[in-house]
Amino acid sequence: MNFFNLFGTKNEKKVTETEEKGVMIDLQNYSGMRVEVTDFNGYFLFVAKIQGFWNDTAKLYQYSEFENSDENIPLHVRIRGYSDHERKAVYMEGNITSEPEHMWKVEELTVTKITNDRAFFRLNTDIDATVTMFSGLEIGEKPCKMLNISVGGACISSECRYHEGDKFLLKVQLLEDRPISTMYCQVLRIIEKEESKYEYGCKFLELTEEDQSKITQSIFAAQVAERRKKLETS
């Protein structure tokens, strides 16, 4: 793995300040931030840690799978992360090229938006799943459909009536060759649909780094399987 000096002398300027709506942004504030990298078609590429800022460049340390036919070709990508320092979502753009040891160089890096959005990349799905409640009128295991999933939560469709703040176990098998995933969830949003159905926006609770990594790998694998399926039928 390549190592590089982040400090230097007092007279050296290591950080680019990017102007966003009249506010100067110190990119060094985002060093060590966990980010998700997608292309401009919305295709999820990989998860990484961003650091080593120097002018308008940085390093991405990849720690999820990545499928690319030619990693030597620069890719123009979107980079999204959540800043604990600002408690806001940070959106960036830049050109990435592959380096040894699962590392990527980002050039022409710019901050495009900083918002209160906590959203992660979401993969649209239409998969059978189950919800298990341990109290209330809907106690027990009930069928549902998982409409989409991200590292932070999922959206499900169900004929059962749940309430904001309800907590339950969501069980789903994202891929046939992978075990069933079980996530502890809490209802954040409720949308009433036609034919006595409801859609629930849920967040995952009590996730460890290992849990997040497993969900990320499953999302990536499901996306790759869906893309291959489309290529085979086209």
Side-chain angles (χ1 to χ4, degrees):
M1 180 178 292
N2 294 331
F3 292 91
F4 35 88
N5 188 1
L6 302 179
F7 302 100
T9 66
K10 292 183 179 179
N11 294 326
E12 291 177 319
K13 187 170 182 60
K14 297 290 185 182
V15 179
T16 295
E17 291 180 333
T18 303
E19 187 172 358
E20 170 74 0
K21 297 182 180 179
V23 178
M24 302 303 290
I25 299 170
D26 187 347
L27 293 177
Q28 190 64 32
N29 288 337
Y30 307 131
S31 183
M33 184 170 64
R34 177 188 181 279
V35 296
E36 296 174 342
V37 182
T38 61
D39 66 16
F40 273 70
N41 293 319
Y43 185 75
F44 176 69
L45 300 178
F46 58 85
V47 175
K49 179 184 291 185
I50 189 167
Q51 58 188 58
F53 291 96
W54 175 277
N55 294 325
D56 64 347
T57 67
K59 299 288 185 178
L60 289 171
Y61 291 85
Q62 175 190 332
Y63 55 84
S64 75
E65 297 177 62
F66 177 61
E67 182 181 80
N68 185 29
S69 58
D70 191 343
E71 296 182 358
N72 294 320
I73 298 177
L75 298 173
H76 191 45
V77 298
R78 289 190 172 102
I79 301 170
R80 174 169 52 189
Y82 184 80
S83 170
D84 292 326
H85 172 72
E86 297 175 337
R87 296 187 177 181
K88 291 182 178 181
V90 181
Y91 294 80
M92 306 177 186
E93 293 180 10
N95 299 315
I96 64 172
T97 51
S98 177
E99 295 190 345
E101 301 293 336
H102 301 289
M103 189 161 64
W104 297 77
K105 182 178 182 181
V106 190
E107 298 178 290
E108 300 180 31
L109 181 65
T110 58
V111 175
T112 59
K113 185 170 61 172
I114 299 175
T115 72
N116 290 320
D117 179 21
R118 266 185 170 272
F120 297 92
F121 170 83
R122 289 190 174 272
L123 176 69
N124 291 327
T125 60
D126 187 20
I127 303 174
D128 291 332
T130 64
V131 166
T132 302
M133 290 281 292
F134 298 99
S135 63
L137 297 176
E138 300 293 349
I139 191 170
E141 189 174 75
K142 308 285 185 177
C144 70
K145 283 279 189 180
M146 191 179 73
L147 304 180
N148 63 52
I149 184 172
S150 75
V151 176
C155 180
I156 65 170
S157 173
S158 173
E159 295 181 357
C160 297
R161 185 67 169 97
Y162 303 114
H163 303 277
E164 187 174 328
D166 280 353
K167 298 177 181 179
F168 55 78
L169 288 181
L170 175 65
K171 295 181 181 180
V172 62
Q173 187 173 17
L174 287 172
L175 292 167
E176 292 182 357
D177 61 346
R178 299 212 173 189
I180 293 176
S181 298
T182 302
M183 286 80 71
Y184 188 40
C185 303
Q186 183 176 30
V187 176
L188 296 183
R189 295 176 301 277
I190 303 171
I191 302 174
E192 292 193 27
K193 309 295 285 187
E194 297 178 355
E195 300 177 357
S196 300
K197 287 189 177 182
Y198 304 90
E199 288 184 5
Y200 299 99
C202 309
K203 70 174 181 179
F204 298 144
L205 302 174
E206 303 176 7
L207 287 183
T208 65
E209 280 290 330
E210 183 180 359
D211 293 332
Q212 291 181 352
S213 178
K214 288 180 179 178
I215 293 173
T216 299
Q217 301 291 0
S218 295
I219 291 173
F220 177 83
Q223 180 184 240
V224 170
E226 182 63 23
R227 170 174 279 196
R228 287 174 176 168
K229 183 177 178 182
K230 289 180 179 179
L231 290 174
E232 290 172 357
T233 57
S234 62

Coordinates of all heavy atoms in Angstrom, one line a residue, residues 48-118:
A48 N -15.6 3.1 0.0 CA -14.2 3.4 0.2 C -14.1 4.4 1.4 O -15.1 5.0 1.9 CB -13.6 4.0 -1.0
K49 N -12.9 4.6 1.8 CA -12.6 5.7 2.8 C -11.8 6.7 2.0 O -10.8 6.4 1.2 CB -11.7 5.1 3.9 CG -11.3 6.2 4.9 CD -10.4 5.7 6.0 CE -11.2 4.7 6.9 NZ -10.4 4.2 8.1
I50 N -12.1 8.0 2.1 CA -11.5 9.0 1.4 C -10.5 9.8 2.3 O -10.9 10.1 3.4 CB -12.5 10.0 0.7 CG1 -11.8 11.0 -0.2 CG2 -13.3 10.7 1.7 CD1 -12.7 11.7 -1.1
Q51 N -9.3 10.0 1.8 CA -8.3 10.8 2.6 C -7.2 11.2 1.7 O -7.2 11.0 0.5 CB -7.8 10.0 3.8 CG -7.2 8.6 3.5 CD -6.9 7.8 4.8 OE1 -7.8 7.5 5.5 NE2 -5.6 7.5 5.0
G52 N -6.1 11.8 2.3 CA -5.0 12.2 1.5 C -5.3 13.3 0.6 O -4.8 13.3 -0.6
F53 N -6.1 14.3 1.0 CA -6.4 15.5 0.1 C -5.2 16.3 -0.2 O -4.4 16.6 0.7 CB -7.5 16.3 0.8 CG -8.8 15.7 0.9 CD1 -9.2 15.0 2.1 CD2 -9.7 15.7 -0.1 CE1 -10.4 14.4 2.2 CE2 -10.9 15.1 0.0 CZ -11.3 14.4 1.1
W54 N -5.1 16.7 -1.4 CA -4.0 17.6 -1.9 C -4.5 18.4 -3.0 O -4.7 17.8 -4.1 CB -2.7 16.7 -2.3 CG -1.6 17.5 -2.8 CD1 -1.5 18.0 -4.1 CD2 -0.5 18.0 -2.1 NE1 -0.3 18.7 -4.2 CE2 0.3 18.7 -3.0 CE3 0.0 17.9 -0.8 CZ2 1.5 19.3 -2.7 CZ3 1.2 18.5 -0.4 CH2 1.9 19.2 -1.4
N55 N -4.7 19.7 -2.8 CA -5.3 20.5 -3.8 C -6.6 19.9 -4.2 O -7.5 19.7 -3.4 CB -4.3 20.7 -5.0 CG -3.1 21.5 -4.6 OD1 -3.2 22.4 -3.8 ND2 -2.0 21.2 -5.2
D56 N -6.8 19.6 -5.5 CA -8.1 19.0 -5.9 C -8.0 17.5 -6.2 O -8.7 16.9 -7.0 CB -8.6 19.7 -7.2 CG -7.8 19.5 -8.4 OD1 -6.6 19.0 -8.2 OD2 -8.2 19.8 -9.5
T57 N -7.1 16.8 -5.4 CA -6.9 15.4 -5.5 C -7.1 14.7 -4.1 O -7.0 15.4 -3.1 CB -5.6 15.0 -6.1 OG1 -4.5 15.3 -5.1 CG2 -5.3 15.7 -7.4
A58 N -7.3 13.4 -4.1 CA -7.5 12.7 -2.9 C -7.2 11.2 -3.2 O -7.0 10.8 -4.4 CB -8.8 12.9 -2.2
K59 N -7.2 10.4 -2.2 CA -7.1 8.9 -2.3 C -8.4 8.3 -1.8 O -9.0 8.7 -0.8 CB -5.9 8.4 -1.5 CG -4.6 9.0 -1.9 CD -4.1 8.5 -3.3 CE -2.7 9.0 -3.6 NZ -2.2 8.4 -4.9
L60 N -8.8 7.2 -2.5 CA -9.9 6.4 -2.1 C -9.3 5.0 -1.7 O -8.7 4.3 -2.6 CB -10.9 6.2 -3.2 CG -11.8 7.5 -3.5 CD1 -12.6 7.2 -4.8 CD2 -12.7 7.8 -2.3
Y61 N -9.6 4.5 -0.5 CA -9.2 3.2 -0.1 C -10.4 2.3 -0.2 O -11.3 2.3 0.7 CB -8.6 3.2 1.3 CG -7.3 3.9 1.4 CD1 -7.2 5.3 1.5 CD2 -6.1 3.2 1.3 CE1 -6.0 6.0 1.6 CE2 -4.8 3.9 1.3 CZ -4.8 5.3 1.5 OH -3.6 5.9 1.5
Q62 N -10.4 1.5 -1.2 CA -11.6 0.7 -1.5 C -11.7 -0.5 -0.5 O -10.7 -1.2 -0.3 CB -11.5 0.1 -2.9 CG -12.6 -0.9 -3.3 CD -12.2 -1.6 -4.6 OE1 -11.5 -1.0 -5.5 NE2 -12.7 -2.8 -4.8
Y63 N -12.9 -0.7 0.1 CA -13.1 -1.9 0.9 C -14.4 -2.6 0.7 O -15.0 -3.2 1.5 CB -12.9 -1.6 2.4 CG -13.7 -0.5 3.0 CD1 -15.0 -0.8 3.4 CD2 -13.2 0.8 3.2 CE1 -15.8 0.2 4.0 CE2 -13.9 1.8 3.8 CZ -15.2 1.5 4.2 OH -16.0 2.5 4.8
S64 N -14.8 -2.6 -0.6 CA -15.9 -3.5 -1.0 C -15.6 -4.0 -2.4 O -14.6 -3.5 -3.0 CB -17.3 -2.7 -1.1 OG -17.4 -1.9 -2.2
E65 N -16.4 -4.9 -2.9 CA -16.1 -5.5 -4.3 C -16.2 -4.4 -5.3 O -16.9 -3.4 -5.2 CB -17.1 -6.6 -4.6 CG -17.0 -7.8 -3.6 CD -18.0 -8.8 -3.9 OE1 -18.0 -9.4 -5.0 OE2 -18.8 -9.1 -3.0
F66 N -15.6 -4.7 -6.5 CA -15.8 -3.8 -7.6 C -15.6 -4.6 -8.9 O -14.7 -5.4 -9.0 CB -14.7 -2.6 -7.6 CG -14.8 -1.7 -8.8 CD1 -15.9 -1.0 -9.0 CD2 -13.7 -1.6 -9.6 CE1 -16.0 -0.1 -10.1 CE2 -13.8 -0.7 -10.7 CZ -14.9 0.0 -11.0
E67 N -16.5 -4.3 -9.8 CA -16.5 -5.0 -11.1 C -16.3 -4.0 -12.2 O -17.2 -3.2 -12.5 CB -17.7 -5.8 -11.3 CG -17.7 -6.6 -12.6 CD -19.0 -7.4 -12.8 OE1 -20.0 -6.8 -13.3 OE2 -19.0 -8.6 -12.6
N68 N -15.2 -4.1 -12.9 CA -14.9 -3.1 -14.0 C -14.1 -3.8 -15.1 O -13.1 -4.5 -14.7 CB -14.2 -1.9 -13.5 CG -14.1 -0.8 -14.6 OD1 -14.8 -0.7 -15.5 ND2 -13.0 0.0 -14.4
S69 N -14.4 -3.7 -16.3 CA -13.7 -4.3 -17.4 C -12.3 -3.8 -17.6 O -11.4 -4.5 -18.0 CB -14.5 -4.2 -18.7 OG -14.7 -2.8 -19.0
D70 N -12.1 -2.5 -17.3 CA -10.8 -1.9 -17.5 C -10.6 -0.9 -16.5 O -11.0 0.3 -16.6 CB -10.6 -1.3 -18.9 CG -9.2 -1.0 -19.2 OD1 -8.4 -0.9 -18.3 OD2 -8.9 -0.8 -20.4
E71 N -9.9 -1.2 -15.4 CA -9.7 -0.3 -14.3 C -8.7 0.8 -14.6 O -8.5 1.7 -13.8 CB -9.3 -1.1 -13.0 CG -10.3 -2.0 -12.5 CD -9.9 -2.8 -11.2 OE1 -8.7 -2.5 -10.8 OE2 -10.6 -3.5 -10.7
N72 N -8.0 0.7 -15.7 CA -7.0 1.7 -16.1 C -7.6 2.9 -16.8 O -6.9 3.9 -16.9 CB -5.9 1.0 -17.0 CG -5.1 0.0 -16.3 OD1 -4.7 0.1 -15.2 ND2 -4.8 -1.1 -17.0
I73 N -8.8 2.8 -17.2 CA -9.5 3.9 -17.8 C -10.1 4.8 -16.7 O -10.8 4.3 -15.9 CB -10.6 3.4 -18.8 CG1 -10.0 2.5 -19.9 CG2 -11.4 4.6 -19.3 CD1 -11.1 2.0 -20.8
P74 N -9.8 6.1 -16.7 CA -10.4 7.0 -15.7 C -11.9 7.0 -15.8 O -12.5 6.9 -16.9 CB -9.8 8.4 -16.1 CG -8.6 8.1 -17.0 CD -8.9 6.8 -17.7
L75 N -12.5 7.1 -14.6 CA -14.0 7.1 -14.5 C -14.4 8.4 -13.9 O -13.8 8.8 -12.9 CB -14.5 5.9 -13.7 CG -14.2 4.5 -14.2 CD1 -14.6 3.5 -13.1 CD2 -14.9 4.2 -15.5
H76 N -15.4 9.0 -14.5 CA -16.0 10.2 -13.9 C -17.1 9.7 -13.0 O -18.1 9.1 -13.4 CB -16.5 11.1 -15.0 CG -16.9 12.5 -14.5 ND1 -16.1 13.2 -13.6 CD2 -18.0 13.2 -14.7 CE1 -16.7 14.4 -13.3 NE2 -17.9 14.4 -13.9
V77 N -17.0 10.0 -11.7 CA -17.9 9.4 -10.7 C -18.5 10.5 -9.8 O -18.0 11.6 -9.6 CB -17.1 8.4 -9.8 CG1 -16.6 7.3 -10.7 CG2 -16.0 9.0 -9.1
R78 N -19.5 10.0 -9.1 CA -20.1 10.8 -7.9 C -19.6 10.1 -6.7 O -19.6 8.9 -6.6 CB -21.6 10.8 -8.0 CG -22.2 11.7 -9.1 CD -23.7 11.8 -9.0 NE -24.2 12.8 -9.9 CZ -24.9 12.5 -11.0 NH1 -25.1 11.2 -11.3 NH2 -25.3 13.5 -11.8
I79 N -19.3 10.9 -5.7 CA -18.8 10.4 -4.4 C -19.7 11.0 -3.3 O -19.8 12.2 -3.2 CB -17.4 10.8 -4.1 CG1 -16.5 10.2 -5.3 CG2 -16.9 10.3 -2.8 CD1 -15.1 10.7 -5.3
R80 N -20.3 10.1 -2.5 CA -21.3 10.6 -1.5 C -20.9 10.0 -0.1 O -20.6 8.8 0.0 CB -22.7 10.1 -1.9 CG -23.7 10.4 -0.8 CD -25.1 10.2 -1.3 NE -25.3 8.9 -1.9 CZ -26.4 8.5 -2.6 NH1 -27.4 9.4 -2.8 NH2 -26.5 7.3 -3.1
G81 N -20.9 10.8 0.9 CA -20.6 10.4 2.2 C -21.3 11.2 3.2 O -22.0 12.2 2.9
Y82 N -21.1 10.9 4.5 CA -21.8 11.6 5.6 C -20.7 12.1 6.6 O -19.9 11.4 7.1 CB -22.8 10.7 6.3 CG -23.6 11.5 7.4 CD1 -24.7 12.3 7.1 CD2 -23.2 11.4 8.7 CE1 -25.4 12.9 8.0 CE2 -23.9 12.1 9.7 CZ -25.0 12.9 9.3 OH -25.7 13.6 10.3
S83 N -20.7 13.5 6.7 CA -19.7 14.1 7.6 C -20.3 14.1 9.0 O -21.3 14.8 9.3 CB -19.4 15.5 7.1 OG -18.7 16.2 8.1
D84 N -19.6 13.4 9.9 CA -20.0 13.5 11.3 C -19.7 14.9 11.9 O -20.3 15.3 12.9 CB -19.3 12.4 12.1 CG -19.7 11.0 11.8 OD1 -20.9 10.9 11.5 OD2 -18.9 10.1 11.8
H85 N -18.7 15.5 11.3 CA -18.2 16.8 11.8 C -19.4 17.9 11.6 O -19.7 18.7 12.4 CB -17.0 17.3 11.1 CG -16.5 18.7 11.4 ND1 -16.0 19.1 12.6 CD2 -16.6 19.8 10.6 CE1 -15.8 20.4 12.5 NE2 -16.1 20.8 11.3
E86 N -20.0 17.8 10.4 CA -21.0 18.8 10.0 C -22.4 18.2 10.2 O -23.4 18.9 10.1 CB -20.8 19.2 8.5 CG -19.5 20.0 8.3 CD -19.3 20.3 6.8 OE1 -19.9 19.6 6.0 OE2 -18.6 21.2 6.5
R87 N -22.5 16.9 10.4 CA -23.7 16.2 10.5 C -24.6 16.4 9.2 O -25.8 16.7 9.3 CB -24.5 16.6 11.7 CG -23.8 16.2 13.0 CD -24.6 16.4 14.2 NE -23.9 16.0 15.4 CZ -24.4 16.0 16.7 NH1 -25.6 16.6 16.9 NH2 -23.7 15.6 17.7
K88 N -23.9 16.3 8.1 CA -24.6 16.5 6.8 C -24.0 15.6 5.8 O -22.9 15.1 5.9 CB -24.4 18.0 6.3 CG -25.2 19.0 7.1 CD -25.0 20.4 6.6 CE -25.8 21.4 7.4 NZ -25.7 22.8 6.8
A89 N -24.9 15.3 4.7 CA -24.4 14.5 3.6 C -23.5 15.4 2.7 O -23.9 16.6 2.4 CB -25.6 13.9 2.8
V90 N -22.4 14.8 2.2 CA -21.5 15.6 1.3 C -21.5 14.9 0.0 O -21.2 13.7 -0.1 CB -20.1 15.6 1.9 CG1 -19.2 16.4 1.0 CG2 -20.1 16.2 3.3
Y91 N -21.7 15.6 -1.1 CA -21.8 15.1 -2.5 C -20.6 15.7 -3.2 O -20.4 16.9 -3.2 CB -23.1 15.4 -3.2 CG -24.3 14.8 -2.6 CD1 -24.9 15.3 -1.4 CD2 -24.8 13.6 -3.1 CE1 -26.0 14.7 -0.9 CE2 -25.9 13.0 -2.6 CZ -26.5 13.6 -1.5 OH -27.6 13.0 -0.9
M92 N -19.8 14.8 -3.9 CA -18.6 15.3 -4.6 C -18.7 14.6 -6.0 O -19.4 13.7 -6.3 CB -17.3 14.9 -3.9 CG -17.2 15.3 -2.5 SD -15.6 14.7 -1.8 CE -15.8 15.2 0.0
E93 N -17.8 15.2 -6.9 CA -17.6 14.6 -8.2 C -16.1 14.6 -8.5 O -15.4 15.5 -7.9 CB -18.3 15.4 -9.3 CG -19.8 15.3 -9.2 CD -20.5 16.1 -10.4 OE1 -19.7 16.6 -11.3 OE2 -21.7 16.3 -10.3
G94 N -15.6 13.7 -9.3 CA -14.2 13.6 -9.7 C -13.9 12.5 -10.6 O -14.8 11.7 -11.0
N95 N -12.7 12.5 -11.1 CA -12.2 11.4 -12.0 C -11.3 10.5 -11.2 O -10.3 10.9 -10.6 CB -11.5 12.0 -13.2 CG -12.3 12.9 -14.0 OD1 -13.5 12.6 -14.3 ND2 -11.8 14.1 -14.4
I96 N -11.6 9.2 -11.3 CA -10.8 8.2 -10.5 C -10.0 7.3 -11.4 O -10.5 6.9 -12.5 CB -11.7 7.4 -9.5 CG1 -12.7 6.5 -10.3 CG2 -12.4 8.3 -8.6 CD1 -13.4 5.5 -9.4
T97 N -8.8 6.9 -11.0 CA -8.0 6.0 -11.7 C -7.5 5.0 -10.7 O -7.2 5.3 -9.5 CB -6.8 6.6 -12.5 OG1 -6.1 7.5 -11.6 CG2 -7.3 7.4 -13.7
S98 N -7.3 3.7 -11.1 CA -6.9 2.7 -10.2 C -5.4 2.7 -9.9 O -4.6 3.0 -10.7 CB -7.2 1.3 -10.9 OG -6.8 0.2 -10.0
E99 N -5.1 2.4 -8.6 CA -3.7 2.3 -8.2 C -3.6 0.9 -7.4 O -4.6 0.3 -7.1 CB -3.3 3.4 -7.3 CG -3.4 4.8 -8.0 CD -2.7 5.9 -7.2 OE1 -2.6 5.7 -5.9 OE2 -2.4 7.0 -7.7
P100 N -2.4 0.5 -7.1 CA -2.2 -0.8 -6.5 C -2.8 -0.8 -5.1 O -3.1 0.2 -4.5 CB -0.7 -0.9 -6.3 CG -0.1 0.0 -7.4 CD -1.1 1.1 -7.5
E101 N -3.0 -2.1 -4.6 CA -3.5 -2.3 -3.2 C -4.9 -1.7 -3.0 O -5.2 -1.1 -2.0 CB -2.6 -1.7 -2.2 CG -1.2 -2.3 -2.2 CD -1.1 -3.7 -1.9 OE1 -2.0 -4.2 -1.1 OE2 -0.1 -4.4 -2.3
H102 N -5.8 -1.9 -4.0 CA -7.2 -1.5 -3.9 C -7.3 0.0 -3.5 O -8.2 0.4 -2.8 CB -7.9 -2.3 -2.8 CG -8.0 -3.8 -3.1 ND1 -8.7 -4.3 -4.1 CD2 -7.3 -4.8 -2.5 CE1 -8.5 -5.6 -4.1 NE2 -7.7 -5.9 -3.2
M103 N -6.5 0.8 -4.1 CA -6.5 2.2 -3.9 C -6.8 3.0 -5.2 O -6.4 2.5 -6.3 CB -5.2 2.7 -3.3 CG -5.2 4.2 -2.8 SD -3.8 4.5 -1.7 CE -2.4 4.3 -2.8
W104 N -7.5 4.1 -5.1 CA -7.8 4.9 -6.3 C -7.4 6.3 -6.1 O -7.5 6.9 -5.0 CB -9.4 4.9 -6.5 CG -9.9 3.5 -6.8 CD1 -10.1 2.5 -5.9 CD2 -10.3 3.0 -8.1 NE1 -10.6 1.4 -6.6 CE2 -10.7 1.7 -7.9 CE3 -10.3 3.6 -9.4 CZ2 -11.2 0.9 -9.0 CZ3 -10.7 2.8 -10.5 CH2 -11.2 1.5 -10.2
K105 N -6.9 6.9 -7.1 CA -6.6 8.4 -7.1 C -7.8 9.2 -7.6 O -8.3 8.8 -8.7 CB -5.4 8.7 -7.9 CG -4.9 10.1 -7.9 CD -3.6 10.3 -8.7 CE -3.2 11.8 -8.6 NZ -1.9 12.0 -9.4
V106 N -8.2 10.2 -6.9 CA -9.3 11.1 -7.4 C -8.7 12.4 -7.8 O -7.9 13.0 -7.0 CB -10.3 11.3 -6.3 CG1 -11.5 12.0 -6.9 CG2 -10.7 10.1 -5.6
E107 N -9.0 12.8 -9.0 CA -8.5 14.1 -9.5 C -9.7 15.0 -9.9 O -10.8 14.5 -10.1 CB -7.6 13.9 -10.7 CG -6.4 13.1 -10.4 CD -5.5 12.8 -11.6 OE1 -5.9 12.1 -12.5 OE2 -4.4 13.4 -11.7
E108 N -9.4 16.3 -10.0 CA -10.5 17.3 -10.3 C -11.7 17.1 -9.3 O -12.8 17.2 -9.7 CB -10.9 17.2 -11.7 CG -9.8 17.4 -12.7 CD -10.2 17.3 -14.2 OE1 -11.4 17.6 -14.5 OE2 -9.4 16.8 -15.0
L109 N -11.4 16.9 -8.1 CA -12.4 16.7 -7.1 C -13.1 18.0 -6.7 O -12.4 19.0 -6.3 CB -11.8 16.0 -5.8 CG -12.7 15.7 -4.7 CD1 -13.7 14.6 -5.1 CD2 -11.9 15.2 -3.5
T110 N -14.4 18.0 -6.7 CA -15.2 19.2 -6.3 C -16.3 18.7 -5.4 O -16.9 17.6 -5.6 CB -15.7 19.9 -7.5 OG1 -16.6 19.0 -8.3 CG2 -14.6 20.5 -8.4
V111 N -16.7 19.6 -4.5 CA -17.9 19.4 -3.7 C -19.1 20.0 -4.5 O -19.1 21.2 -4.8 CB -17.8 20.0 -2.3 CG1 -19.1 19.9 -1.5 CG2 -16.7 19.4 -1.5
T112 N -20.1 19.2 -4.8 CA -21.3 19.7 -5.5 C -22.4 20.1 -4.6 O -23.3 20.9 -5.0 CB -21.7 18.7 -6.6 OG1 -22.1 17.5 -5.9 CG2 -20.6 18.4 -7.6
K113 N -22.5 19.5 -3.5 CA -23.7 19.8 -2.6 C -23.4 19.3 -1.2 O -22.8 18.2 -1.0 CB -24.9 19.0 -3.2 CG -26.2 19.3 -2.5 CD -27.4 18.8 -3.2 CE -27.4 17.3 -3.4 NZ -28.7 16.8 -4.0
I114 N -23.9 20.0 -0.2 CA -23.9 19.6 1.2 C -25.3 19.8 1.7 O -25.8 21.0 1.7 CB -22.9 20.5 2.0 CG1 -21.5 20.3 1.5 CG2 -22.9 20.1 3.5 CD1 -20.4 21.1 2.1
T115 N -25.9 18.8 2.1 CA -27.3 18.9 2.6 C -27.5 18.1 3.9 O -26.7 17.4 4.4 CB -28.3 18.3 1.5 OG1 -28.2 16.8 1.5 CG2 -28.0 18.8 0.1
N116 N -28.8 18.2 4.4 CA -29.1 17.4 5.6 C -29.5 16.0 5.3 O -29.9 15.2 6.1 CB -30.3 18.1 6.3 CG -29.8 19.4 7.0 OD1 -28.7 19.5 7.5 ND2 -30.7 20.4 6.9
D117 N -29.5 15.6 4.0 CA -29.8 14.3 3.5 C -28.9 13.2 4.1 O -27.7 13.4 4.1 CB -29.7 14.3 2.0 CG -30.1 12.9 1.4 OD1 -30.8 12.1 2.2 OD2 -29.7 12.6 0.3
R118 N -29.5 12.2 4.7 CA -28.7 11.1 5.2 C -28.7 9.9 4.3 O -28.3 8.8 4.6 CB -29.3 10.6 6.6 CG -28.6 11.3 7.8 CD -29.2 10.7 9.0 NE -28.4 11.0 10.2 CZ -27.4 10.4 10.7 NH1 -26.9 9.4 10.1 NH2 -26.7 10.8 11.8

